[in-house]
Amino acid sequence: MPAAAPVKSFQPRIELNPAPVGVDRRAEILKEPGFGRYFTDHMVLIDWDPENGWHDERVVPYGPLSLDPATAALHYAQEIFEGLKAYRHEDGSIKVFRPEQNAARFQRSAARLMLPELPIQWFLGSLDALLNVDEAWVPAGGEKALYLRPFMFASESFLGVRAARKVTYAVIASPVGGYFEGGTKPLAVWVAEEYSRAAPGGTGAAKCGGNYAGALLPLSEAAKHGCEQVVFLDAKERRLVEELGGMNLYFVFDDGQIVTPASDSILDGIIKNSLHEVAADLGYTVTERPFGIDEWTQGVASGRITEVFACGTAAVITPVGRLVWREGEVNSAPTGEAGPVTPTLRRALVDLQYGRAEDPRGWMRRINHS
Ligand SMILES: *Cc1c(COP(=O)(O)O)cnc(C)c1O
């Protein structure tokens, strides 16, 4: 086999937006950004094909992509994405939380979806390049941030079923406030008894759009039952708890133990992995093990489970209250407040992200200004 070609350095061409959003309008948007509704003035695009590898890296004005109707991703969902945030610290600097973890996970997702791996340095470089031109879009104050959405899709025009020979990588950015309307009000969650998110050997551990498409129907069922999120169970027996389909789940027991479900079809969350270390600093032990839905219902009913929460980049840590299924419900936060463990862990993570706490592990990465 020929030796792998050395990775080219990431040197994007930069084409500035001739008509960026005005300063006043941007200030108005940053005051109340919502989630994923507004986008910055620029985006990153990089092309890939087997002959040239990754090439033509560029920062260009944000705008529609022109796609051939036969674009493979539109038919066979060969697509993956990432989600991470850039935070403005009080000294004005901008930091991103563990982006190399997202870069590595993006490579793992790519491998599962037969997409080419983007070099870690290119992933990080693409975030830096976009943040450099759109720095003014990183909001200050509260729990606001600039959400970064790297994604990759099969852009070849071809209806045959095989891995695409033309792939596009892009990064867009959206200023965001809190993810849930109700702030840190405990979520009501619905148990999907008929639908699965992921199966053994499937794509559950990859961050791909297809997993989300399949979760929309159970999500609408949850909404009909007054719930905001879905609890997905293992596909085989529908007995073991997996995750919320976009957030990982945690159970706090009255003896101080914290348990999170272990499964091959759960997405390996970066907040989840970080939380285990932060929890250890605070004297809590987190155990990862198979966790039955019966343990949840009975644990809440008996009082052994004192708190339930979910974690992920978008909402950091969110308490879970009502667990609803066809035949009944239990509530681990009947007073509408969860604590004391959930808010303690939440504050520890948020303070770290916003630079108000020490960062002994060097998790916050300053963007490199060119
Ligand atoms: C992104 C995601 C999560 C959370 O991962 P973080 O890296 O912590 O944001 C959990 N589950 C699924 C299915 C996801 O796509």
Side-chain angles (χ1 to χ4, degrees):
M1 280 223 330
V7 176
K8 284 186 297 179
S9 65
F10 180 75
Q11 286 174 316
R13 168 170 68 78
I14 293 176
E15 182 193 329
L16 291 180
N17 192 329
V21 172
V23 175
D24 292 346
R25 175 65 186 137
R26 188 175 64 221
E28 199 175 277
I29 291 170
L30 295 188
K31 224 181 271 167
E32 246 182 84
F35 192 94
R37 272 193 294 152
Y38 302 103
F39 298 92
T40 65
D41 296 311
H42 299 88
M43 61 184 178
V44 173
L45 292 174
I46 314 177
D47 298 324
W48 179 92
D49 62 51
E51 292 74 39
N52 301 298
W54 290 107
H55 65 280
D56 198 13
E57 61 272 33
R58 56 207 189 271
V59 177
V60 294
Y62 183 93
L65 302 171
S66 168
L67 296 177
D68 189 288
T71 297
L74 300 178
H75 301 271
Y76 308 127
Q78 197 191 1
E79 187 270 354
I80 56 170
F81 66 95
E82 269 302 327
L84 68 169
K85 286 175 175 173
Y87 306 87
R88 189 177 291 282
H89 287 187
E90 255 146 48
D91 64 1
S93 67
I94 293 166
K95 301 269 181 77
V96 184
F97 183 71
R98 308 191 77 183
E100 65 294 334
Q101 295 287 318
N102 296 86
R105 184 170 68 189
F106 199 55
Q107 290 191 333
R108 295 197 297 274
S109 298
R112 180 62 184 86
L113 273 289
M114 281 292 282
L115 284 161
E117 288 182 6
L118 183 74
I120 304 273
Q121 288 311 321
W122 279 50
F123 184 96
L124 299 176
S126 71
L127 305 183
D128 280 356
L130 188 58
L131 284 167
N132 269 326
V133 290
D134 283 338
E135 166 166 4
W137 283 91
V138 183
E143 281 194 17
K144 292 177 191 160
L146 184 66
Y147 183 79
L148 302 167
R149 168 54 62 89
F151 60 105
M152 188 195 289
F153 63 96
S155 46
E156 183 179 359
S157 309
F158 180 59
L159 293 185
V161 179
R162 59 148 168 78
R165 292 179 190 151
K166 252 190 79 189
V167 169
T168 301
Y169 167 80
V171 192
I172 56 175
S174 170
V176 296
Y179 186 71
F180 291 109
E181 301 276 335
T184 51
K185 180 174 81 53
L187 291 178
V189 296
W190 167 253
V191 184
E193 291 174 90
E194 272 172 69
Y195 302 106
S196 311
R197 188 193 80 94
T203 56
K207 212 168 173 74
C208 63
N211 291 342
Y212 280 73
L216 295 176
L217 181 59
L219 193 59
S220 77
E221 192 182 85
K224 279 188 206 133
H225 290 84
C227 296
E228 289 121 316
Q229 289 285 312
V230 178
V231 179
F232 287 101
L233 305 177
D234 75 282
K236 219 164 155 189
E237 298 181 58
R238 300 242 163 72
R239 188 177 66 79
L240 298 172
V241 176
E242 298 221 312
E243 59 159 300
L244 289 189
M247 282 183 289
N248 298 113
L249 278 166
Y250 286 80
F251 302 90
V252 182
F253 283 79
D254 58 358
D255 61 2
Q257 284 284 320
I258 302 177
V259 176
T260 190
S263 152
D264 291 344
S265 35
I266 287 179
L267 187 110
D268 201 20
I270 289 156
I271 298 293
K272 169 178 174 241
N273 293 329
S274 309
L275 183 71
H276 293 198
E277 297 190 45
V278 169
D281 290 350
L282 294 169
Y284 300 106
T285 23
V286 181
T287 311
E288 228 170 311
R289 63 165 172 84
F291 187 86
I293 185 74
D294 289 352
E295 255 189 284
W296 186 344
T297 56
Q298 289 161 16
V300 173
S302 71
R304 278 213 63 213
I305 291 176
T306 52
E307 295 171 54
V308 182
F309 64 86
C311 75
T313 295
V316 201
I317 287 181
T318 308
V320 176
R322 291 170 63 220
L323 172 72
V324 186
W325 66 98
R326 292 210 184 282
E327 266 97 54
E329 72 171 84
V330 289
N331 192 343
S332 48
T335 62
E337 296 281 330
V341 180
T342 305
T344 303
L345 291 173
R346 184 172 209 282
R347 197 163 326 108
L349 269 172
V350 170
D351 283 351
L352 176 74
Q353 291 172 331
Y354 285 89
R356 296 187 296 258
E358 286 296 305
D359 178 18
R361 297 177 182 88
W363 280 349
M364 302 307 296
R365 183 175 187 274
R366 181 187 280 272
I367 67 151
N368 294 315
H369 287 271
S370 47

PDB file of all heavy atoms in Angstrom, residues 64 73 97-98 110 120 134 140 145 148 216 243 247 278 331-333 344 357:
ATOM      1  N   PRO A  64     -27.913  29.842   0.359  1.00  0.00           N
ATOM      2  CA  PRO A  64     -28.399  28.540  -0.090  1.00  0.00           C
ATOM      3  C   PRO A  64     -27.352  27.796  -0.905  1.00  0.00           C
ATOM      4  O   PRO A  64     -26.537  28.396  -1.606  1.00  0.00           O
ATOM      5  CB  PRO A  64     -29.593  28.887  -0.995  1.00  0.00           C
ATOM      6  CG  PRO A  64     -29.956  30.291  -0.681  1.00  0.00           C
ATOM      7  CD  PRO A  64     -28.703  30.963  -0.187  1.00  0.00           C
ATOM      8  N   ALA A  73     -27.345  12.405  -0.865  1.00  0.00           N
ATOM      9  CA  ALA A  73     -27.779  12.572   0.529  1.00  0.00           C
ATOM     10  C   ALA A  73     -29.293  12.756   0.626  1.00  0.00           C
ATOM     11  O   ALA A  73     -29.906  12.349   1.614  1.00  0.00           O
ATOM     12  CB  ALA A  73     -27.073  13.760   1.168  1.00  0.00           C
ATOM     13  N   PHE A  97     -15.772  24.554  23.749  1.00  0.00           N
ATOM     14  CA  PHE A  97     -15.670  23.461  24.705  1.00  0.00           C
ATOM     15  C   PHE A  97     -15.269  22.157  24.021  1.00  0.00           C
ATOM     16  O   PHE A  97     -16.024  21.611  23.218  1.00  0.00           O
ATOM     17  CB  PHE A  97     -17.021  23.296  25.412  1.00  0.00           C
ATOM     18  CG  PHE A  97     -17.049  22.248  26.489  1.00  0.00           C
ATOM     19  CD1 PHE A  97     -16.383  22.445  27.701  1.00  0.00           C
ATOM     20  CD2 PHE A  97     -17.753  21.074  26.314  1.00  0.00           C
ATOM     21  CE1 PHE A  97     -16.422  21.478  28.700  1.00  0.00           C
ATOM     22  CE2 PHE A  97     -17.799  20.100  27.313  1.00  0.00           C
ATOM     23  CZ  PHE A  97     -17.131  20.316  28.511  1.00  0.00           C
ATOM     24  N   ARG A  98     -14.053  21.679  24.281  1.00  0.00           N
ATOM     25  CA  ARG A  98     -13.541  20.377  23.828  1.00  0.00           C
ATOM     26  C   ARG A  98     -13.806  20.051  22.355  1.00  0.00           C
ATOM     27  O   ARG A  98     -14.308  18.965  22.033  1.00  0.00           O
ATOM     28  CB  ARG A  98     -14.127  19.269  24.711  1.00  0.00           C
ATOM     29  CG  ARG A  98     -13.945  19.515  26.198  1.00  0.00           C
ATOM     30  CD  ARG A  98     -14.297  18.298  27.017  1.00  0.00           C
ATOM     31  NE  ARG A  98     -13.249  17.299  26.959  1.00  0.00           N
ATOM     32  CZ  ARG A  98     -13.332  16.108  27.547  1.00  0.00           C
ATOM     33  NH1 ARG A  98     -14.409  15.761  28.195  1.00  0.00           N
ATOM     34  NH2 ARG A  98     -12.325  15.264  27.477  1.00  0.00           N
ATOM     35  N   ALA A 110     -18.312   9.412  10.531  1.00  0.00           N
ATOM     36  CA  ALA A 110     -17.992   9.309   9.098  1.00  0.00           C
ATOM     37  C   ALA A 110     -17.698   7.859   8.730  1.00  0.00           C
ATOM     38  O   ALA A 110     -18.206   7.333   7.733  1.00  0.00           O
ATOM     39  CB  ALA A 110     -16.798  10.203   8.755  1.00  0.00           C
ATOM     40  N   ILE A 120      -8.580  15.966  11.926  1.00  0.00           N
ATOM     41  CA  ILE A 120      -8.910  16.730  13.141  1.00  0.00           C
ATOM     42  C   ILE A 120      -8.515  18.206  12.970  1.00  0.00           C
ATOM     43  O   ILE A 120      -9.276  19.105  13.303  1.00  0.00           O
ATOM     44  CB  ILE A 120      -8.151  16.149  14.369  1.00  0.00           C
ATOM     45  CG1 ILE A 120      -8.453  14.662  14.532  1.00  0.00           C
ATOM     46  CG2 ILE A 120      -8.428  16.955  15.628  1.00  0.00           C
ATOM     47  CD1 ILE A 120      -9.658  14.275  15.312  1.00  0.00           C
ATOM     48  N   ASP A 134     -16.847  35.722  11.900  1.00  0.00           N
ATOM     49  CA  ASP A 134     -18.169  35.990  12.492  1.00  0.00           C
ATOM     50  C   ASP A 134     -18.126  36.153  14.009  1.00  0.00           C
ATOM     51  O   ASP A 134     -19.117  35.962  14.698  1.00  0.00           O
ATOM     52  CB  ASP A 134     -19.151  34.868  12.115  1.00  0.00           C
ATOM     53  CG  ASP A 134     -19.646  35.000  10.684  1.00  0.00           C
ATOM     54  OD1 ASP A 134     -19.579  36.131  10.143  1.00  0.00           O
ATOM     55  OD2 ASP A 134     -20.077  33.992  10.101  1.00  0.00           O
ATOM     56  N   ALA A 140     -22.929  37.713  24.296  1.00  0.00           N
ATOM     57  CA  ALA A 140     -22.389  37.800  25.654  1.00  0.00           C
ATOM     58  C   ALA A 140     -23.549  37.712  26.629  1.00  0.00           C
ATOM     59  O   ALA A 140     -24.672  38.079  26.315  1.00  0.00           O
ATOM     60  CB  ALA A 140     -21.646  39.123  25.832  1.00  0.00           C
ATOM     61  N   ALA A 145     -24.791  31.563  23.572  1.00  0.00           N
ATOM     62  CA  ALA A 145     -23.574  31.077  22.925  1.00  0.00           C
ATOM     63  C   ALA A 145     -23.781  31.100  21.421  1.00  0.00           C
ATOM     64  O   ALA A 145     -24.887  31.370  20.939  1.00  0.00           O
ATOM     65  CB  ALA A 145     -23.265  29.657  23.394  1.00  0.00           C
ATOM     66  N   LEU A 148     -22.292  26.000  16.874  1.00  0.00           N
ATOM     67  CA  LEU A 148     -21.598  25.673  15.629  1.00  0.00           C
ATOM     68  C   LEU A 148     -22.117  24.339  15.119  1.00  0.00           C
ATOM     69  O   LEU A 148     -22.207  23.364  15.880  1.00  0.00           O
ATOM     70  CB  LEU A 148     -20.092  25.572  15.888  1.00  0.00           C
ATOM     71  CG  LEU A 148     -19.452  26.836  16.466  1.00  0.00           C
ATOM     72  CD1 LEU A 148     -18.047  26.533  16.989  1.00  0.00           C
ATOM     73  CD2 LEU A 148     -19.395  27.943  15.423  1.00  0.00           C
ATOM     74  N   LEU A 216     -38.845  11.444  14.852  1.00  0.00           N
ATOM     75  CA  LEU A 216     -39.871  12.494  14.801  1.00  0.00           C
ATOM     76  C   LEU A 216     -41.275  11.971  15.099  1.00  0.00           C
ATOM     77  O   LEU A 216     -42.050  12.640  15.779  1.00  0.00           O
ATOM     78  CB  LEU A 216     -39.854  13.188  13.428  1.00  0.00           C
ATOM     79  CG  LEU A 216     -38.567  13.961  13.128  1.00  0.00           C
ATOM     80  CD1 LEU A 216     -38.606  14.522  11.710  1.00  0.00           C
ATOM     81  CD2 LEU A 216     -38.343  15.080  14.135  1.00  0.00           C
ATOM     82  N   GLU A 243     -31.619   6.468  25.722  1.00  0.00           N
ATOM     83  CA  GLU A 243     -31.390   7.913  25.860  1.00  0.00           C
ATOM     84  C   GLU A 243     -32.607   8.688  25.385  1.00  0.00           C
ATOM     85  O   GLU A 243     -33.621   8.107  25.018  1.00  0.00           O
ATOM     86  CB  GLU A 243     -30.135   8.309  25.085  1.00  0.00           C
ATOM     87  CG  GLU A 243     -30.218   7.976  23.591  1.00  0.00           C
ATOM     88  CD  GLU A 243     -29.251   8.802  22.764  1.00  0.00           C
ATOM     89  OE1 GLU A 243     -29.360  10.039  22.789  1.00  0.00           O
ATOM     90  OE2 GLU A 243     -28.389   8.191  22.094  1.00  0.00           O
ATOM     91  N   MET A 247     -30.144  13.613  23.978  1.00  0.00           N
ATOM     92  CA  MET A 247     -29.535  13.860  25.285  1.00  0.00           C
ATOM     93  C   MET A 247     -29.387  12.537  26.029  1.00  0.00           C
ATOM     94  O   MET A 247     -30.232  11.654  25.913  1.00  0.00           O
ATOM     95  CB  MET A 247     -30.422  14.805  26.111  1.00  0.00           C
ATOM     96  CG  MET A 247     -30.284  16.262  25.695  1.00  0.00           C
ATOM     97  SD  MET A 247     -31.277  17.335  26.746  1.00  0.00           S
ATOM     98  CE  MET A 247     -32.901  16.889  26.186  1.00  0.00           C
ATOM     99  N   VAL A 278     -16.320  15.880  36.001  1.00  0.00           N
ATOM    100  CA  VAL A 278     -16.728  16.999  36.861  1.00  0.00           C
ATOM    101  C   VAL A 278     -17.431  16.454  38.108  1.00  0.00           C
ATOM    102  O   VAL A 278     -17.200  16.934  39.228  1.00  0.00           O
ATOM    103  CB  VAL A 278     -17.650  17.968  36.066  1.00  0.00           C
ATOM    104  CG1 VAL A 278     -18.310  18.978  36.981  1.00  0.00           C
ATOM    105  CG2 VAL A 278     -16.847  18.675  34.971  1.00  0.00           C
ATOM    106  N   ASN A 331     -43.309  10.831  38.855  1.00  0.00           N
ATOM    107  CA  ASN A 331     -42.699  12.159  38.761  1.00  0.00           C
ATOM    108  C   ASN A 331     -41.581  12.275  39.784  1.00  0.00           C
ATOM    109  O   ASN A 331     -41.813  12.164  40.986  1.00  0.00           O
ATOM    110  CB  ASN A 331     -43.772  13.231  39.015  1.00  0.00           C
ATOM    111  CG  ASN A 331     -43.288  14.615  38.646  1.00  0.00           C
ATOM    112  OD1 ASN A 331     -42.082  14.838  38.492  1.00  0.00           O
ATOM    113  ND2 ASN A 331     -44.207  15.556  38.505  1.00  0.00           N
ATOM    114  N   SER A 332     -40.360  12.471  39.274  1.00  0.00           N
ATOM    115  CA  SER A 332     -39.218  12.591  40.193  1.00  0.00           C
ATOM    116  C   SER A 332     -38.982  14.029  40.630  1.00  0.00           C
ATOM    117  O   SER A 332     -38.061  14.293  41.396  1.00  0.00           O
ATOM    118  CB  SER A 332     -37.956  12.018  39.537  1.00  0.00           C
ATOM    119  OG  SER A 332     -37.811  12.510  38.229  1.00  0.00           O
ATOM    120  N   ALA A 333     -39.793  14.950  40.120  1.00  0.00           N
ATOM    121  CA  ALA A 333     -39.666  16.350  40.560  1.00  0.00           C
ATOM    122  C   ALA A 333     -41.062  16.945  40.755  1.00  0.00           C
ATOM    123  O   ALA A 333     -41.430  17.909  40.088  1.00  0.00           O
ATOM    124  CB  ALA A 333     -38.855  17.160  39.543  1.00  0.00           C
ATOM    125  N   THR A 344     -26.259  21.479  40.976  1.00  0.00           N
ATOM    126  CA  THR A 344     -24.836  21.560  41.353  1.00  0.00           C
ATOM    127  C   THR A 344     -23.958  21.178  40.164  1.00  0.00           C
ATOM    128  O   THR A 344     -22.994  21.884  39.833  1.00  0.00           O
ATOM    129  CB  THR A 344     -24.544  20.618  42.550  1.00  0.00           C
ATOM    130  OG1 THR A 344     -25.404  20.990  43.618  1.00  0.00           O
ATOM    131  CG2 THR A 344     -23.097  20.712  42.988  1.00  0.00           C
ATOM    132  N   ALA A 357     -15.033  29.398  36.220  1.00  0.00           N
ATOM    133  CA  ALA A 357     -14.415  28.397  37.100  1.00  0.00           C
ATOM    134  C   ALA A 357     -13.078  27.988  36.495  1.00  0.00           C
ATOM    135  O   ALA A 357     -12.843  28.176  35.301  1.00  0.00           O
ATOM    136  CB  ALA A 357     -15.336  27.190  37.236  1.00  0.00           C
TER     137      ALA A 357
END
